[in-house]
Amino acid sequence: MGNMMTGHDLVRKVTGREVYAITVPLVTTTSGEKLGKTAGNAVWLSRDKTSPFELYQFFVRQPDSIMESYLKLFTFLSMAEIADIMRKHSNHPENRLAQKKLAEQVTILVHGVSGLESALRCTQALYEGGLDVLQRLTEEEMKLLFSEAPTTEMVLEPGMSLLHVLVKAKALPGEVTGWHIMADGGVWINNVRQTDPQHVVVPSLHILDNNISIVRIGKKRYHLIKWIR
């Protein structure tokens, strides 16, 4: 408010004209906290600070209670379209129709259709996709999704077992413990569960076209293997 009053006085003194300042309500979370960089929960228009995937995920994770207001604030959908979306959403909230429509509209507005397509590819790869989805990821998208995952370079040798590879890459702690983790269904390679520790590495099954294998141990621990062939 102080900046607006100062600006108002300066313009009036310099030009002699009457000017006005306009304020709008702050955009807040469900708990009443403002959204912004000082609050530590900002999303940015620049893809260098907030990627299309991160922007999409931010909006798709918002709760039902603020969907209608966010659709009105952040999209150019008509009131009739928003009312229809909210009606369909209320019938099946588990499908998160309103969140998906909000995230889709904002991502297109900020990053265009190509940005939305990238966000959807990353979302599918991380939460839904199989080998075909992972194959479509660009190198930039791969780095974004697995930026915190350790990477091990490895030479592909004939007859290497999955257990041997994962222990050598330090994705598993050791052969005995690793055997039990795999047999119990705790290992995924390229989003496909692997339960046979003795299974031999097959490039067409276990290695992507970019010579990367994406290993997941449990629900969230990722490890990348970069193959040298």
PDB file of all heavy atoms in Angstrom, residues 101-121:
ATOM      1  N   LYS A 101      -8.089 -30.171 -15.573  1.00  0.00           N
ATOM      2  CA  LYS A 101      -8.453 -29.087 -16.491  1.00  0.00           C
ATOM      3  C   LYS A 101      -7.725 -27.806 -16.111  1.00  0.00           C
ATOM      4  O   LYS A 101      -7.240 -27.073 -16.989  1.00  0.00           O
ATOM      5  CB  LYS A 101      -9.963 -28.881 -16.463  1.00  0.00           C
ATOM      6  CG  LYS A 101     -10.454 -27.770 -17.397  1.00  0.00           C
ATOM      7  CD  LYS A 101     -10.118 -28.061 -18.855  1.00  0.00           C
ATOM      8  CE  LYS A 101     -10.946 -29.201 -19.402  1.00  0.00           C
ATOM      9  NZ  LYS A 101     -10.731 -29.370 -20.879  1.00  0.00           N
ATOM     10  N   LEU A 102      -7.634 -27.517 -14.821  1.00  0.00           N
ATOM     11  CA  LEU A 102      -6.909 -26.333 -14.352  1.00  0.00           C
ATOM     12  C   LEU A 102      -5.435 -26.413 -14.751  1.00  0.00           C
ATOM     13  O   LEU A 102      -4.882 -25.465 -15.328  1.00  0.00           O
ATOM     14  CB  LEU A 102      -7.029 -26.218 -12.836  1.00  0.00           C
ATOM     15  CG  LEU A 102      -6.162 -25.151 -12.157  1.00  0.00           C
ATOM     16  CD1 LEU A 102      -6.608 -23.754 -12.567  1.00  0.00           C
ATOM     17  CD2 LEU A 102      -6.223 -25.308 -10.627  1.00  0.00           C
ATOM     18  N   ALA A 103      -4.796 -27.537 -14.450  1.00  0.00           N
ATOM     19  CA  ALA A 103      -3.375 -27.709 -14.766  1.00  0.00           C
ATOM     20  C   ALA A 103      -3.134 -27.628 -16.269  1.00  0.00           C
ATOM     21  O   ALA A 103      -2.152 -27.022 -16.729  1.00  0.00           O
ATOM     22  CB  ALA A 103      -2.885 -29.053 -14.218  1.00  0.00           C
ATOM     23  N   GLU A 104      -4.021 -28.217 -17.038  1.00  0.00           N
ATOM     24  CA  GLU A 104      -3.908 -28.196 -18.502  1.00  0.00           C
ATOM     25  C   GLU A 104      -3.987 -26.770 -19.041  1.00  0.00           C
ATOM     26  O   GLU A 104      -3.149 -26.342 -19.842  1.00  0.00           O
ATOM     27  CB  GLU A 104      -5.036 -29.050 -19.090  1.00  0.00           C
ATOM     28  CG  GLU A 104      -5.189 -28.954 -20.593  1.00  0.00           C
ATOM     29  CD  GLU A 104      -6.473 -29.624 -21.054  1.00  0.00           C
ATOM     30  OE1 GLU A 104      -6.618 -30.839 -20.816  1.00  0.00           O
ATOM     31  OE2 GLU A 104      -7.332 -28.934 -21.633  1.00  0.00           O
ATOM     32  N   GLN A 105      -4.981 -26.020 -18.580  1.00  0.00           N
ATOM     33  CA  GLN A 105      -5.192 -24.665 -19.081  1.00  0.00           C
ATOM     34  C   GLN A 105      -4.043 -23.732 -18.709  1.00  0.00           C
ATOM     35  O   GLN A 105      -3.582 -22.934 -19.532  1.00  0.00           O
ATOM     36  CB  GLN A 105      -6.515 -24.106 -18.539  1.00  0.00           C
ATOM     37  CG  GLN A 105      -7.758 -24.781 -19.080  1.00  0.00           C
ATOM     38  CD  GLN A 105      -7.954 -24.507 -20.567  1.00  0.00           C
ATOM     39  OE1 GLN A 105      -7.923 -23.364 -21.005  1.00  0.00           O
ATOM     40  NE2 GLN A 105      -8.152 -25.563 -21.333  1.00  0.00           N
ATOM     41  N   VAL A 106      -3.562 -23.823 -17.470  1.00  0.00           N
ATOM     42  CA  VAL A 106      -2.477 -22.945 -17.033  1.00  0.00           C
ATOM     43  C   VAL A 106      -1.181 -23.293 -17.755  1.00  0.00           C
ATOM     44  O   VAL A 106      -0.433 -22.399 -18.184  1.00  0.00           O
ATOM     45  CB  VAL A 106      -2.273 -23.037 -15.501  1.00  0.00           C
ATOM     46  CG1 VAL A 106      -1.057 -22.229 -15.081  1.00  0.00           C
ATOM     47  CG2 VAL A 106      -3.511 -22.536 -14.773  1.00  0.00           C
ATOM     48  N   THR A 107      -0.905 -24.577 -17.927  1.00  0.00           N
ATOM     49  CA  THR A 107       0.334 -24.989 -18.589  1.00  0.00           C
ATOM     50  C   THR A 107       0.349 -24.548 -20.049  1.00  0.00           C
ATOM     51  O   THR A 107       1.377 -24.081 -20.560  1.00  0.00           O
ATOM     52  CB  THR A 107       0.524 -26.513 -18.491  1.00  0.00           C
ATOM     53  OG1 THR A 107       0.473 -26.914 -17.111  1.00  0.00           O
ATOM     54  CG2 THR A 107       1.873 -26.932 -19.067  1.00  0.00           C
ATOM     55  N   ILE A 108      -0.791 -24.662 -20.734  1.00  0.00           N
ATOM     56  CA  ILE A 108      -0.877 -24.193 -22.118  1.00  0.00           C
ATOM     57  C   ILE A 108      -0.693 -22.680 -22.172  1.00  0.00           C
ATOM     58  O   ILE A 108       0.013 -22.153 -23.047  1.00  0.00           O
ATOM     59  CB  ILE A 108      -2.233 -24.587 -22.746  1.00  0.00           C
ATOM     60  CG1 ILE A 108      -2.288 -26.090 -23.009  1.00  0.00           C
ATOM     61  CG2 ILE A 108      -2.474 -23.824 -24.047  1.00  0.00           C
ATOM     62  CD1 ILE A 108      -3.612 -26.573 -23.552  1.00  0.00           C
ATOM     63  N   LEU A 109      -1.300 -21.979 -21.241  1.00  0.00           N
ATOM     64  CA  LEU A 109      -1.207 -20.515 -21.214  1.00  0.00           C
ATOM     65  C   LEU A 109       0.240 -20.055 -21.042  1.00  0.00           C
ATOM     66  O   LEU A 109       0.682 -19.101 -21.687  1.00  0.00           O
ATOM     67  CB  LEU A 109      -2.072 -19.977 -20.066  1.00  0.00           C
ATOM     68  CG  LEU A 109      -2.190 -18.454 -19.929  1.00  0.00           C
ATOM     69  CD1 LEU A 109      -2.855 -17.846 -21.161  1.00  0.00           C
ATOM     70  CD2 LEU A 109      -2.983 -18.097 -18.677  1.00  0.00           C
ATOM     71  N   VAL A 110       0.991 -20.744 -20.187  1.00  0.00           N
ATOM     72  CA  VAL A 110       2.365 -20.323 -19.875  1.00  0.00           C
ATOM     73  C   VAL A 110       3.381 -20.898 -20.863  1.00  0.00           C
ATOM     74  O   VAL A 110       4.286 -20.191 -21.316  1.00  0.00           O
ATOM     75  CB  VAL A 110       2.742 -20.735 -18.438  1.00  0.00           C
ATOM     76  CG1 VAL A 110       4.194 -20.375 -18.136  1.00  0.00           C
ATOM     77  CG2 VAL A 110       1.815 -20.062 -17.430  1.00  0.00           C
ATOM     78  N   HIS A 111       3.229 -22.183 -21.207  1.00  0.00           N
ATOM     79  CA  HIS A 111       4.263 -22.865 -21.995  1.00  0.00           C
ATOM     80  C   HIS A 111       3.789 -23.363 -23.357  1.00  0.00           C
ATOM     81  O   HIS A 111       4.592 -23.979 -24.083  1.00  0.00           O
ATOM     82  CB  HIS A 111       4.821 -24.052 -21.202  1.00  0.00           C
ATOM     83  CG  HIS A 111       5.517 -23.669 -19.939  1.00  0.00           C
ATOM     84  ND1 HIS A 111       6.699 -22.943 -19.924  1.00  0.00           N
ATOM     85  CD2 HIS A 111       5.201 -23.883 -18.635  1.00  0.00           C
ATOM     86  CE1 HIS A 111       7.081 -22.737 -18.672  1.00  0.00           C
ATOM     87  NE2 HIS A 111       6.190 -23.301 -17.874  1.00  0.00           N
ATOM     88  N   GLY A 112       2.535 -23.129 -23.696  1.00  0.00           N
ATOM     89  CA  GLY A 112       2.042 -23.577 -24.986  1.00  0.00           C
ATOM     90  C   GLY A 112       1.697 -25.055 -24.999  1.00  0.00           C
ATOM     91  O   GLY A 112       1.896 -25.771 -24.013  1.00  0.00           O
ATOM     92  N   VAL A 113       1.201 -25.514 -26.157  1.00  0.00           N
ATOM     93  CA  VAL A 113       0.784 -26.914 -26.295  1.00  0.00           C
ATOM     94  C   VAL A 113       1.976 -27.852 -26.118  1.00  0.00           C
ATOM     95  O   VAL A 113       1.859 -28.916 -25.501  1.00  0.00           O
ATOM     96  CB  VAL A 113       0.119 -27.147 -27.669  1.00  0.00           C
ATOM     97  CG1 VAL A 113      -0.178 -28.625 -27.881  1.00  0.00           C
ATOM     98  CG2 VAL A 113      -1.175 -26.346 -27.773  1.00  0.00           C
ATOM     99  N   SER A 114       3.133 -27.477 -26.638  1.00  0.00           N
ATOM    100  CA  SER A 114       4.320 -28.337 -26.502  1.00  0.00           C
ATOM    101  C   SER A 114       4.711 -28.501 -25.038  1.00  0.00           C
ATOM    102  O   SER A 114       5.175 -29.575 -24.627  1.00  0.00           O
ATOM    103  CB  SER A 114       5.490 -27.759 -27.299  1.00  0.00           C
ATOM    104  OG  SER A 114       5.867 -26.483 -26.793  1.00  0.00           O
ATOM    105  N   GLY A 115       4.529 -27.446 -24.231  1.00  0.00           N
ATOM    106  CA  GLY A 115       4.819 -27.532 -22.806  1.00  0.00           C
ATOM    107  C   GLY A 115       3.878 -28.494 -22.102  1.00  0.00           C
ATOM    108  O   GLY A 115       4.297 -29.265 -21.230  1.00  0.00           O
ATOM    109  N   LEU A 116       2.596 -28.445 -22.481  1.00  0.00           N
ATOM    110  CA  LEU A 116       1.623 -29.376 -21.896  1.00  0.00           C
ATOM    111  C   LEU A 116       1.957 -30.809 -22.284  1.00  0.00           C
ATOM    112  O   LEU A 116       1.901 -31.717 -21.442  1.00  0.00           O
ATOM    113  CB  LEU A 116       0.202 -29.023 -22.343  1.00  0.00           C
ATOM    114  CG  LEU A 116      -0.882 -30.006 -21.890  1.00  0.00           C
ATOM    115  CD1 LEU A 116      -0.985 -30.036 -20.367  1.00  0.00           C
ATOM    116  CD2 LEU A 116      -2.230 -29.645 -22.507  1.00  0.00           C
ATOM    117  N   GLU A 117       2.306 -31.026 -23.548  1.00  0.00           N
ATOM    118  CA  GLU A 117       2.648 -32.379 -24.000  1.00  0.00           C
ATOM    119  C   GLU A 117       3.845 -32.921 -23.218  1.00  0.00           C
ATOM    120  O   GLU A 117       3.865 -34.094 -22.839  1.00  0.00           O
ATOM    121  CB  GLU A 117       2.946 -32.365 -25.500  1.00  0.00           C
ATOM    122  CG  GLU A 117       1.707 -32.110 -26.357  1.00  0.00           C
ATOM    123  CD  GLU A 117       2.042 -31.924 -27.824  1.00  0.00           C
ATOM    124  OE1 GLU A 117       3.246 -31.712 -28.140  1.00  0.00           O
ATOM    125  OE2 GLU A 117       1.116 -31.969 -28.653  1.00  0.00           O
ATOM    126  N   SER A 118       4.836 -32.062 -22.971  1.00  0.00           N
ATOM    127  CA  SER A 118       6.001 -32.470 -22.182  1.00  0.00           C
ATOM    128  C   SER A 118       5.597 -32.815 -20.749  1.00  0.00           C
ATOM    129  O   SER A 118       6.034 -33.832 -20.189  1.00  0.00           O
ATOM    130  CB  SER A 118       7.047 -31.351 -22.175  1.00  0.00           C
ATOM    131  OG  SER A 118       8.129 -31.663 -21.321  1.00  0.00           O
ATOM    132  N   ALA A 119       4.741 -31.981 -20.158  1.00  0.00           N
ATOM    133  CA  ALA A 119       4.277 -32.221 -18.783  1.00  0.00           C
ATOM    134  C   ALA A 119       3.518 -33.534 -18.680  1.00  0.00           C
ATOM    135  O   ALA A 119       3.688 -34.291 -17.712  1.00  0.00           O
ATOM    136  CB  ALA A 119       3.392 -31.061 -18.325  1.00  0.00           C
ATOM    137  N   LEU A 120       2.700 -33.833 -19.668  1.00  0.00           N
ATOM    138  CA  LEU A 120       1.922 -35.073 -19.647  1.00  0.00           C
ATOM    139  C   LEU A 120       2.820 -36.293 -19.848  1.00  0.00           C
ATOM    140  O   LEU A 120       2.596 -37.338 -19.231  1.00  0.00           O
ATOM    141  CB  LEU A 120       0.824 -35.024 -20.717  1.00  0.00           C
ATOM    142  CG  LEU A 120      -0.292 -34.006 -20.472  1.00  0.00           C
ATOM    143  CD1 LEU A 120      -1.268 -33.997 -21.650  1.00  0.00           C
ATOM    144  CD2 LEU A 120      -1.038 -34.308 -19.177  1.00  0.00           C
ATOM    145  N   ARG A 121       3.832 -36.165 -20.713  1.00  0.00           N
ATOM    146  CA  ARG A 121       4.780 -37.270 -20.900  1.00  0.00           C
ATOM    147  C   ARG A 121       5.503 -37.580 -19.598  1.00  0.00           C
ATOM    148  O   ARG A 121       5.647 -38.744 -19.206  1.00  0.00           O
ATOM    149  CB  ARG A 121       5.815 -36.919 -21.986  1.00  0.00           C
ATOM    150  CG  ARG A 121       5.389 -37.206 -23.401  1.00  0.00           C
ATOM    151  CD  ARG A 121       6.583 -37.221 -24.351  1.00  0.00           C
ATOM    152  NE  ARG A 121       7.362 -35.994 -24.309  1.00  0.00           N
ATOM    153  CZ  ARG A 121       7.107 -34.917 -25.044  1.00  0.00           C
ATOM    154  NH1 ARG A 121       6.064 -34.910 -25.862  1.00  0.00           N
ATOM    155  NH2 ARG A 121       7.885 -33.861 -24.970  1.00  0.00           N
TER     156      ARG A 121
END
